[in-house]
Amino acid sequence: MPVFVSKFGGTSLSCADGFKNVFDIVRNNPDRRFIVLSAPGKRFNADTKITDLLIRCEETGRRADFTSIQQRFSDIAKEVGVSIENELDEAEENIFSGAGKACAASRGEYLSAKIFSKMSGFAFLDAKNAVFFHNGKIDEEKTKAALNAAFQVQKRIVMPGFYGADEHGKICLFPRGGSDTTGALAAFCIDADAYENWTDVDGVFRSDPALCPGQKPIDRLSYDETGRILDAGAAVLHPDCLYWARKKGTPIIVRNTFRPHLPGTRIGP
Ligand code: ADP
Ligand code: ASP
Ligand code: MG
């Protein structure tokens, strides 16, 4: 049976309707068996991403700054019909007990995946037990072994993007936007048939569709062509995705969570 690793970005998960929408997409194709989630992003232009709120919270050390984070997650959880209160208490404790900036910043992805696991029944896999760093780089063999071991036991998994841990169990982050990389890395490690990257635009365009409207998304791209578009500043995918996709020739499919009937852009060798 084919396996898709499907990653949903913060733009797809900014509110409860986003989570419900993502669940519909996942349910629509049983091949979507390994889900990677980002932290909730902006609901509107002037909004702040959860990751930025978490970083600020850790920097100021003010418990009051955690209130807006708590409120956003509680509202999402309530609307999708699950409880996240214990996990929120645990995250608050992590942030204010000196676990560090990386740990604080990672809690958005952690809580997103917890909510999705509860609403979908997909098994929660903590990235700190499955994505391993050594001296700032991915430990490929260890990550491969952990992801495959987990996937052998649980046939449907949801894992937070953006972070992993070093050999001492300390949380390590990918660069910002790095849930894309987690998805491509997972697809490589479990030998997935495709890596779906679900976002808020119809695919990859020649230039940012938010700045240059009226373009059509590109149907197919090679890794090299995509690399050139990303090098020119397109923030639609993290460029490190291409490294993991190239290694086995995994197709990357960029699709719009809000227009899932569209085919998106297919990127391959
Ligand atoms: P996600 O939250 O799904 O990770 P991002 O905000 O990181 O989403 O990336 C999607 C955004 O990338 C789109 O909203 C779009 O405005 C922007 N973008 C910039 N350049 C491009 C491009 N060439 N093609 C598609 N999207 C682009
Ligand atoms: N939440 C992280 C960020 O804002 C990672 C990601 O969204 O991919 O950078
Ligand atoms: Mg992104």
Side-chain angles (χ1 to χ4, degrees):
M1 194 177 161
V3 183
F4 290 180
V5 170
S6 305
K7 177 262 172 180
F8 294 85
T11 51
S12 305
L13 294 164
S14 67
C15 59
D17 280 348
F19 276 78
K20 290 180 191 167
N21 208 13
V22 165
F23 189 23
D24 284 342
I25 291 171
V26 169
R27 266 193 293 214
N28 231 354
N29 185 343
D31 298 340
R32 295 187 179 119
R33 290 190 278 140
F34 198 111
I35 310 304
V36 173
L37 299 185
S38 283
K42 294 183 181 189
R43 292 160 292 182
F44 42 87
N45 262 347
D47 201 11
T48 309
K49 286 177 165 192
I50 285 287
T51 307
D52 292 307
L53 292 176
L54 286 161
I55 292 169
R56 187 193 303 163
C57 210
E58 199 273 337
E59 281 169 357
T60 64
R62 279 200 309 252
R63 293 233 175 215
D65 287 341
F66 191 69
T67 316
S68 52
I69 297 168
Q70 196 160 24
Q71 195 60 54
R72 269 189 80 181
F73 277 112
S74 294
D75 288 350
I76 292 171
K78 192 166 162 219
E79 253 193 77
V80 303
V82 303
S83 166
I84 196 74
E85 296 312 313
N86 290 343
E87 288 82 357
L88 274 166
D89 288 346
E90 181 200 359
E92 184 178 6
E93 211 34 56
N94 289 151
I95 295 167
F96 296 106
S97 65
K101 195 178 201 143
C103 178
S106 72
R107 295 304 85 187
E109 272 71 11
Y110 176 86
L111 291 165
S112 281
K114 277 284 180 183
I115 291 177
F116 189 81
S117 168
K118 287 172 195 254
M119 69 191 279
S120 66
F122 275 50
F124 174 82
L125 174 62
D126 195 340
K128 92 169 198 277
N129 302 322
V131 173
F132 293 103
F133 287 78
H134 179 67
N135 290 339
K137 289 217 161 73
I138 287 296
D139 182 331
E140 196 178 304
E141 289 318 310
K142 207 169 154 191
T143 301
K144 226 185 211 174
L147 285 173
N148 281 294
F151 201 42
Q152 212 140 51
V153 178
Q154 301 289 352
K155 293 299 170 207
R156 294 185 188 285
I157 282 180
V158 56
M159 183 173 84
F162 188 39
Y163 74 93
D166 67 12
E167 57 273 35
H168 309 294
K170 191 168 178 290
I171 299 286
C172 302
L173 299 179
F174 288 102
R176 293 298 303 268
S179 297
D180 291 339
T181 314
T182 305
L185 168 67
F188 164 75
C189 287
I190 66 167
D191 246 325
D193 297 272
Y195 168 41
E196 292 186 318
N197 190 292
W198 291 86
T199 184
D200 67 341
V201 288
D202 292 345
V204 179
F205 293 75
R206 286 275 158 223
S207 53
D208 187 348
L211 303 176
C212 312
Q215 309 166 71
K216 283 204 172 117
I218 304 163
D219 293 341
R220 296 177 87 88
L221 281 169
S222 69
Y223 297 134
D224 287 347
E225 288 167 328
T226 308
R228 284 196 286 276
I229 293 175
L230 300 183
D231 282 349
V236 60
L237 275 181
H238 196 286
D240 291 350
C241 282
L242 296 176
Y243 171 80
W244 294 106
R246 260 182 223 278
K247 275 170 92 82
K248 279 182 183 162
T250 314
I252 304 175
I253 308 162
V254 179
R255 297 185 67 173
N256 191 341
T257 305
F258 306 99
R259 303 195 335 140
H261 54 286
L262 297 178
T265 299
R266 193 179 177 91
I267 302 165

